[in-house]
């Protein structure tokens, strides 16, 4: 009998592909890049990566072809416009961040959603846009395009577009400006509606916990410093995102203590300057490699 293997659907190539593989490697899963382009094996765990187009991931996971999947929230929301997405999402992964926005030519007047009344809007996200227009009480024609949405106004196909934006460079290069936010997105880990088979449950739980650990430690820092007791409260307040720091006595000193804290966010130089001004000394900021919550 062959051992059952957990399947994780990932984007084969594209903007989420590398970061998905980094997450998987960060979780200690060793990817064996095989001859089979569709399926990569994990050599140290009974797991396979199903490598597909991102548009196929929500359906594959919903149908149970894969137990887990990594996909943009935008793709999930477009696929299941009427579903309860939160029940499908296991965790937000903190990468692939972008926004779906309405954009119009630089010289167009835009005074809010009502400016779109009776207009034509090009997008690859007709379901999300349709819902947004309805919520805003706007009647407009949606022109569905698979790609190159940003050229639609210049080609006189549409008056406005609804497209993903990250840096805004594409809009700028096409003489357009971003206006209303329709959706904020990032990569999410999604799960099949049914629980995994009993013999894969522990692998499933392990993957979810480890992914959570990698995501949590992303950018997180371990801060150590000495603080005079009289300024302790102020110094703790200055440490970004520190939850319940450890306070320890310093040998031979009654006036100061050592403070150790896990910071959920990066610690920048200006924070160190403020800590120093508040009286902190011997400040160390260390990267965190792994974290298990
Ligand atoms: O082949 P496959 O179907 O798998 O991939 P795809 O071509 O459909 O998607 P891909 O690889 O382009 O993007 C995958 C996911 O990355 C998206 O679904 C989003 O969740 C996420 N993402 C993050 C982005 C962007 N940022 C982004 N900037 N997806 C697309 N873009 C586009 C945007 O539409 C614009 O045209 O990139 C262009 C440049 O953006 P600017 O603002 O940085 O200029
Ligand atoms: Zn796609």
């Amino acid at each position: 009998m062959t051992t059952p293997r957990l399947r994780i659907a990932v984007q084969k190539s594209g903007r989420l592909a590398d970061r998905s593989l980094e997450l998987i490697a960060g979780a200690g899963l060793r990817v064996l890049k095989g001859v089979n382009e569709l399926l990569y094996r994990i050599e140290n765990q009974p797991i396979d990566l199903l490598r597909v187009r991102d548009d196929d991931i929500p359906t594959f996971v919903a149908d149970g072809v894969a137990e887990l999947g990594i996909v943009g929230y935008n793709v999930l929301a477009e696929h299941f416009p009427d579903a309860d997405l939160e029940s499908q999402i296991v965790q937000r992964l903190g990468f692939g961040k972008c926004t779906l926005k309405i954009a119009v030519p630089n010289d167009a007047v835009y005074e809010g959603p009502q400016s779109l009344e009776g207009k034509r809007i090009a997008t690859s996200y007709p379901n999300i846009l349709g819902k947004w227009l309805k919520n805003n009480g706007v009647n407009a024609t949606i022109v569905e395009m698979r790609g190159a949405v940003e050229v639609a106004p210049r080609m006189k196909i549409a008056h406005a577009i609804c497209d993903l934006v990250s840096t805004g460079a594409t809009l700028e290069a096409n003489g357009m400006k971003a206006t209303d936010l329709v959706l904020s997105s990032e990569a999410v880990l999604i799960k099949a509606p049914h629980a995994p088979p009993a013999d894969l449950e522990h692998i499933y739980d392990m993957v979810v916990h480890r992914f959570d650990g990698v995501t949590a430690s992303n950018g997180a820092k371990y801060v150590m410093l000495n603080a005079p007791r009289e300024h302790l409260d102020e110094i703790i307040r200055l440490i970004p995102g520190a939850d319940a720091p450890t306070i320890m006595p310093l040998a031979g000193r009654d006036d100061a203590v050592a403070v150790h804290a896990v910071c959920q966010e990066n610690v920048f130089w200006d924070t160190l300057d403020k800590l120093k001004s508040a009286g902190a000394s011997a400040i160390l900021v260390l990267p965190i490699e792994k974290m298990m919550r």
Side-chain angles (χ1 to χ4, degrees):
M1 207 185 89
T2 53
T3 325
R5 299 178 72 83
L6 188 85
R7 279 187 171 180
I8 308 174
V10 296
Q11 190 187 26
K12 183 175 178 181
S13 65
R15 286 168 189 268
L16 300 185
D18 287 349
R19 291 298 303 268
S20 301
L21 286 179
E22 275 171 33
L23 171 67
I24 285 157
L29 310 179
R30 282 202 300 274
V31 179
L32 206 63
K33 293 184 178 171
V35 275
N36 187 341
E37 277 293 301
L38 178 67
L39 219 60
Y40 277 176
R41 279 175 92 84
I42 300 295
E43 70 180 331
N44 56 340
Q45 296 289 349
I47 301 173
D48 287 329
L49 302 183
L50 191 61
R51 304 174 64 243
V52 291
R53 289 200 60 171
D54 66 349
D55 314 78
D56 292 333
I57 294 176
T59 316
F60 279 160
V61 175
D63 291 350
V65 175
E67 283 80 14
L68 292 167
I70 298 171
V71 71
Y73 181 77
N74 52 308
V75 174
L76 184 69
E78 179 60 24
H79 245 80
F80 299 117
D82 301 316
D84 167 21
L85 301 182
E86 291 310 312
S87 68
Q88 300 180 45
I89 297 174
V90 185
Q91 50 188 254
R92 289 179 155 66
L93 298 170
F95 62 87
K97 289 189 178 175
C98 55
T99 52
L100 188 62
K101 286 191 169 174
I102 301 289
V104 294
N106 285 330
D107 56 4
V109 176
Y110 188 86
E111 293 166 338
Q114 285 306 325
S115 297
L116 298 168
E117 184 69 31
K119 299 279 169 61
R120 292 166 62 83
I121 313 166
T123 189
S124 307
Y125 296 88
N127 290 331
I128 298 175
L129 175 61
K131 253 175 91 172
W132 184 84
L133 290 171
K134 196 165 166 230
N135 288 340
N136 283 286
V138 174
N139 280 305
T141 305
I142 297 175
V143 182
E144 191 174 343
M145 289 177 72
R146 281 302 175 96
V149 174
E150 63 278 1
V151 304
R154 234 186 314 139
M155 307 279 290
K156 307 284 180 223
I157 298 169
H159 303 96
I161 67 169
C162 171
D163 199 11
L164 293 177
V165 182
S166 53
T167 62
T170 304
L171 287 182
E172 204 184 309
N174 286 280
M176 271 187 288
K177 56 185 177 191
T179 64
D180 278 318
L181 172 73
V182 175
L183 186 94
S184 293
S185 182
E186 68 184 286
V188 291
L189 179 69
I190 56 170
K191 62 175 181 183
H194 302 295
D199 42 6
L200 283 176
E201 220 169 304
H202 67 292
I203 298 290
Y204 180 94
D205 289 343
M206 181 205 75
V207 169
V208 170
H209 277 117
R210 288 192 185 181
F211 279 5
D212 180 54
V214 176
T215 306
S217 63
N218 234 338
K221 300 285 183 241
Y222 195 76
V223 174
M224 300 193 279
L225 54 82
N226 293 347
R229 282 187 192 275
E230 54 174 337
H231 297 305
L232 186 57
D233 288 348
E234 185 192 349
I235 286 172
I236 288 174
R237 268 199 306 274
L238 284 170
I239 304 175
D243 194 24
T246 309
I247 314 287
M248 285 167 290
L250 282 169
R253 284 188 64 180
D254 289 336
D255 62 326
V257 287
V259 179
H260 287 197
V262 172
C263 297
Q264 297 298 343
E265 48 200 280
N266 214 335
V267 182
F268 296 102
W269 281 107
D270 62 336
T271 304
L272 299 193
D273 291 339
K274 284 182 194 150
L275 285 167
K276 195 155 172 46
S277 302
S281 59
I283 310 170
L284 290 180
V285 180
L286 310 174
I288 295 175
E289 195 187 290
K290 291 186 178 64
M291 195 189 280
M292 188 71 94
R293 289 198 265 214

